[in-house]
Amino acid sequence: MGWLAAMRVVGVLRGVFTGAAFLYLILPTFVIVPLSFSSSLYLSFPPPGWSTRWYVALWNSQLYSAAFLHSILIGLPVALLSVVLGTMLALALVRGRPWGSRGLSALAIAPFLLPQIILAIGLYSILAKFGLTASYTGVIVGHTIVATPLVFITVSASLRSADPTFEMAAMTLGANGWKAFWFVTFPTIRLGVLTGGIFAFSFSFDEIILALFLTNTRTTTLPKQLYSELRYNMSPTIAAASTVIIVLSLLMLTAAAMAGRRAQRRAGAGRDMTA
Amino acid sequence: MSVPENAGGPAANGAQVVYDGVAKRYGAVQALAPTSLEVASGEFFSIIGPSGSGKTTLLGVTAGFIPPSEGRILVDGRDLVGIPPFQRNLGMVFQHYSLFPHMTVAQNIGFPLRMRKVAKAEAGAQIKRILDVVRLSGMADRYPAQLSGGQQQRVALARAAVYNPSLLLMDEPLSALDKNLREEMQREIKAFQQVLGATVIYVTHDQHEASAMSHRIAIMNGGQVAQVGRPRDLYDNPRNRFVASFLGEANLFEVARHAPAPGGGTVIETPQGLTLRAADAPPDSRFVVCVRPEKIALKSGDGGGAECNRLTGTVSDVVHSSGTVHHRVRVAPEVEINQRSTGGAGRQFEVGEAVSVTWAPGDTQLVAVD
């Protein structure tokens, strides 16, 4: 076999492998989508026929609308709190570089890596003491603990790619610490902050373990609602709700990616002109 | 740089800077030994030294990023110690310019004016004026990433100077530029300083740059100032071995024995058995012999008079670069001498050729070890 033919085979194999990997990663999530358009009364594959009735049912369901609202009311404060905490943490550890900042950085992402069931059990016993187990506060506190590392990671990355002398320059030019942050540091890490916030919201929006422990019927989130529906009836409404969640999550991730591309294009345009 | 007479506004009077026993310790480590220096108003003062010599610490202490362990820094009589960086009202140019990437050229330059709450119209006029000085008038709306290295450098200069600080600090501002641009920017920075009238404290590890630009230079080593002086004085009269070897090229010889010469001066014998003659009397402490490469002449065979220093050897290396010829001559098994001649003075020798290495006793520097 000639060299060119061999290269062509390798190219095809690489394409096939990439495609297979993508299918493996994405397909299981999207299996739910055709089920949501099923005409059947039950979740079964393949659907016997097609209809949009389950979207109508979802729209009319008070339980689902309430759960959707709860998820937003929990997700937004979680995103906000994580952004504030995660950004401060990143500033302290990346720019402040205190003694042992490496160890502290590992510690800062630990809540995201540690089993959430353990956090849920521990948090439940503490929050129970204060009567917060069935309030927004409880689940917001829980989600913020896990989501803060996400913001810490994205903001740390932004800070590391920015020149560490920016703040020093701002100060020699007459900006105090707060002004240096607001006019110079924040604009340069804005993308990391935004991405981190979107990640934090997405995390909170589809989190179930903490939600099972820390919400009650008045604060049930969308994933918890899906979970309890599954136990009582296997209606395709579940598939419809899941599809809505998928679409929303994809929209948020697209927003994050587009923000990243825009920032990259600005830096890239400059690089071309200096060449 | 084409500079209108009154460009950049009224030239500020350069600040007089006095370091009075300024020192910095980190635990047991002495980053900066107690240092006392005086920088005159309007002076271009360079601080050079290898990395870890304390030059960056001295600059950081001046800018206010590093609190000194002791000492005072008087700028026109006002002690800066304890004053935060943003209230020191000095300008600083950073190694990688540190231009804010999300701001245009005009916004970058306008930043210090904004922090000082200068009225918009007035700020606009000042930005325009300083852009003229640095020849970037058409670039006001560009972003830093759209500029070349030299242009970014000029924006950084303009930003540090637009509010007429009486003291400008520069931290290796040219190290990120390529060689040709660096020489052009050296001239621009000097011209820029003359327009502003500001005192400049300039940190670099490049001794050529410092010699070309400065009124005076402080050479630092191991957290201490080794010597302060005009570039020529430091070169001709180095106080110790470090200064002699750091500033310019130097042929250094250890001393095994020395004795007064019959007609005045000193005769020195090196450990390798070479005999050298100096016009000066030896210093009181241990010393080494330093001969600058350009003071040396090469002659074929056994040429050269008896009153001269004369060593014989073979040429081991020849390098020709832009009008200068560098010869390396092996005069003893372990000893090679660097010789340099510029502008066609002296002929070029071939590798392997037998030559005499000669120089006048007056060009033999006797330099204290420390």
Side-chain angles (χ1 to χ4, degrees):
Chain A
M1 193 161 58
W3 172 248
L4 280 176
M7 285 306 286
R8 202 170 302 143
V9 171
V10 168
V12 169
L13 283 178
R14 189 167 50 197
V16 168
F17 182 79
T18 310
F22 262 111
L23 282 182
Y24 168 65
L25 291 174
I26 300 295
L27 199 59
T29 307
F30 282 89
V31 163
I32 202 83
V33 176
L35 295 187
S36 71
F37 293 100
S38 172
S39 59
S40 159
L41 281 176
Y42 304 100
L43 271 179
S44 58
F45 196 84
W50 305 102
S51 96
T52 54
R53 57 192 284 208
W54 303 112
Y55 285 90
V56 178
L58 179 68
W59 182 256
N60 291 328
S61 159
Q62 286 193 349
L63 281 175
Y64 274 107
S65 342
F68 183 76
L69 183 69
H70 297 154
S71 279
I72 302 261
L73 286 178
I74 292 165
L76 287 180
V78 165
L80 193 70
L81 285 172
S82 315
V83 157
V84 172
L85 291 176
T87 303
M88 293 201 303
L89 205 52
L91 280 172
L93 293 187
V94 177
R95 275 293 180 275
R97 294 258 296 265
W99 184 85
S101 58
R102 257 166 205 255
L104 288 173
S105 291
L107 208 61
I109 56 171
F112 184 70
L113 298 175
L114 291 175
Q116 275 147 38
I117 182 77
I118 298 173
L119 173 67
I121 296 167
L123 208 54
Y124 183 83
S125 54
I126 298 172
L127 291 174
K129 273 221 170 2
F130 298 99
L132 293 171
T133 47
S135 67
Y136 284 118
T137 316
V139 68
I140 288 171
V141 167
H143 280 181
T144 302
I145 290 173
V146 187
T148 297
L150 295 170
V151 180
F152 172 73
I153 291 168
T154 56
V155 175
S156 295
S158 297
L159 274 176
R160 288 207 178 88
S161 67
D163 191 326
T165 61
F166 284 161
E167 288 87 8
M168 295 162 100
M171 285 196 191
T172 60
L173 295 170
N176 60 25
W178 170 246
K179 282 180 176 162
F181 172 79
W182 185 246
F183 290 112
V184 175
T185 313
F186 181 69
T188 54
I189 60 170
R190 194 163 40 194
L191 183 65
V193 173
L194 179 69
T195 313
I198 290 173
F199 284 177
F201 183 84
S202 307
F203 162 78
S204 167
F205 200 71
D206 71 4
E207 199 283 334
I208 178 118
I209 301 170
L210 288 160
L212 283 176
F213 277 76
L214 301 174
T215 60
N216 66 359
T217 46
R218 280 176 297 127
T219 56
T220 294
T221 63
L222 208 45
K224 190 183 174 191
Q225 174 65 24
L226 288 176
Y227 183 70
S228 35
E229 281 284 308
L230 274 171
R231 286 158 74 192
Y232 301 119
N233 65 56
M234 293 283 282
S235 106
T237 320
I238 294 169
S242 304
T243 306
V244 171
I245 294 179
I246 291 173
V247 170
L248 283 178
S249 300
L250 283 178
L251 282 178
M252 284 188 286
L253 290 178
T254 312
M258 268 167 48
R261 258 232 324 241
R262 227 186 55 179
Q264 237 171 23
R265 204 175 303 150
R266 191 158 84 179
R271 220 170 290 129
D272 291 344
M273 301 193 65
T274 50
Chain B
M1 182 147 64
S2 60
V3 176
E5 270 305 296
N6 60 349
N13 282 323
Q16 182 209 40
V17 186
V18 177
Y19 294 92
D20 179 14
V22 178
K24 180 64 187 176
R25 280 180 299 274
Y26 296 98
V29 181
Q30 178 109 303
L32 184 66
T35 297
S36 295
L37 288 170
E38 275 188 40
V39 182
S41 168
E43 188 170 10
F44 199 112
F45 189 88
S46 287
I47 303 172
I48 66 175
S51 53
S53 60
K55 60 187 195 299
T56 307
T57 305
L58 193 59
L59 199 71
V61 164
T62 314
F65 302 133
I66 303 171
S69 307
E70 56 189 72
R72 299 184 303 160
I73 303 164
L74 302 170
V75 173
D76 285 336
R78 181 179 76 137
D79 189 0
L80 288 186
V81 175
I83 297 175
F86 52 88
Q87 285 170 2
R88 294 196 175 192
N89 200 40
L90 40 79
M92 180 152 176
V93 179
F94 291 81
Q95 191 169 5
H96 299 289
Y97 322 132
S98 206
L99 298 176
F100 307 139
H102 58 287
M103 296 185 194
T104 63
V105 167
Q107 285 166 342
N108 263 286
I109 297 174
F111 184 79
L113 302 175
R114 199 169 153 201
M115 293 300 108
R116 285 165 175 74
K117 301 196 163 56
V118 175
K120 265 227 164 76
E122 170 63 17
Q126 289 186 25
I127 294 167
K128 196 173 166 322
R129 207 153 50 203
I130 200 95
L131 276 173
D132 281 342
V133 175
V134 295
R135 294 187 290 116
L136 287 173
S137 304
M139 305 283 184
D141 296 325
R142 298 269 184 99
Y143 283 92
Q146 296 170 312
L147 303 178
S148 71
Q151 289 169 333
Q152 291 185 36
Q153 176 64 79
R154 301 211 295 266
V155 176
L157 276 175
R159 187 179 67 174
V162 68
Y163 48 101
N164 287 318
S166 55
L167 175 60
L168 269 174
L169 308 178
M170 302 196 188
D171 184 11
E172 311 223 7
L174 303 182
S175 60
L177 300 176
D178 64 47
K179 190 168 172 293
N180 290 335
L181 198 52
R182 209 152 57 210
E183 282 167 12
E184 187 188 322
M185 283 306 298
Q186 286 176 10
R187 283 192 291 277
E188 294 219 7
I189 289 177
K190 280 202 77 167
F192 190 68
Q193 186 219 3
Q194 273 154 20
V195 173
L196 291 172
T199 303
V200 171
I201 297 181
Y202 189 98
V203 165
T204 178
H205 65 268
D206 182 339
Q207 42 112 354
H208 294 293
E209 196 170 292
S211 298
M213 299 175 78
S214 319
H215 296 116
R216 284 190 307 152
I217 298 175
I219 300 189
M220 296 194 69
N221 187 34
Q224 302 197 4
V225 174
Q227 192 171 355
V228 184
R230 289 181 300 173
R232 189 78 229 180
D233 294 341
L234 295 180
Y235 188 76
D236 289 340
N237 297 303
R239 179 182 293 165
N240 61 29
R241 190 215 309 240
F242 174 79
V243 175
S245 59
F246 191 79
L247 205 69
E249 277 181 274
N251 294 295
L252 293 175
F253 302 90
E254 299 292 331
V255 176
R257 273 194 296 278
H258 64 88
T266 312
V267 179
I268 297 116
E269 191 175 322
T270 75
Q272 299 85 5
L274 303 171
T275 303
L276 311 174
R277 273 169 259 274
D280 300 333
D284 297 332
S285 56
R286 272 188 61 209
F287 65 97
V288 292
V289 175
C290 169
V291 185
R292 299 295 183 183
E294 74 278 6
K295 306 285 191 192
I296 296 173
L298 296 188
K299 292 175 180 136
S300 50
D302 285 343
E307 76 287 352
C308 275
N309 282 287
R310 192 166 67 82
L311 303 172
T312 52
T314 49
V315 176
S316 60
D317 190 33
V318 182
V319 176
H320 194 275
S321 81
S322 49
T324 305
V325 185
H326 301 255
H327 289 100
R328 196 187 281 267
V329 181
R330 188 177 294 271
V331 295
E334 296 289 300
V335 186
E336 286 192 318
I337 288 181
N338 287 306
Q339 183 271 348
R340 189 170 69 219
S341 49
T342 313
R347 83 168 178 91
Q348 187 173 331
F349 294 84
E350 303 298 326
V351 173
E353 213 170 323
V355 292
S356 292
V357 178
T358 67
W359 70 92
D363 290 327
T364 308
Q365 299 172 350
L366 305 182
V367 181
V369 171
D370 336 272

